[in-house]
Amino acid sequence: MSIEKRVEAVAKNVEGKAQEAMSELTGDPKDKLEGQAKQEDAATMHAQEDVKDKAKDFIDKTF
């Protein structure tokens, strides 16, 4: 498990949520979409790390 990647994903998610929230105040639809995209990127990063963790666990149990 890469803690650095997890931290990066959490930071990107927070940034995306903040950007999306600001878009509600400013009414800027572009910011809303960019914020949502950052949150999706963060979710993808977490999913990648989950797959890596499961593969490592499987290899550790097998060998």
Side-chain angles (χ1 to χ4, degrees), residues 16-31:
K17 285 184 182 288
Q19 187 172 6
E20 186 177 6
M22 280 300 291
S23 76
E24 297 296 324
L25 296 174
T26 63
D28 188 350
K30 182 182 174 206
D31 274 343

Side-chain angles (χ1 to χ4, degrees), residues 7-18:
V7 169
E8 183 181 339
V10 169
K12 183 172 266 201
N13 189 43
V14 169
E15 181 183 352
K17 285 184 182 288

Side-chain angles (χ1 to χ4, degrees), residues 30-61:
K30 182 182 174 206
D31 274 343
K32 183 174 184 167
L33 291 175
E34 287 177 1
Q36 290 171 341
K38 287 178 184 176
Q39 291 174 63
E40 290 297 322
D41 286 346
T44 300
M45 292 169 73
H46 278 298
Q48 288 173 337
E49 292 304 311
D50 290 344
V51 169
K52 288 179 189 177
D53 288 345
K54 288 181 185 194
K56 183 183 180 311
D57 287 345
F58 176 76
I59 291 169
D60 289 344
K61 289 178 184 176

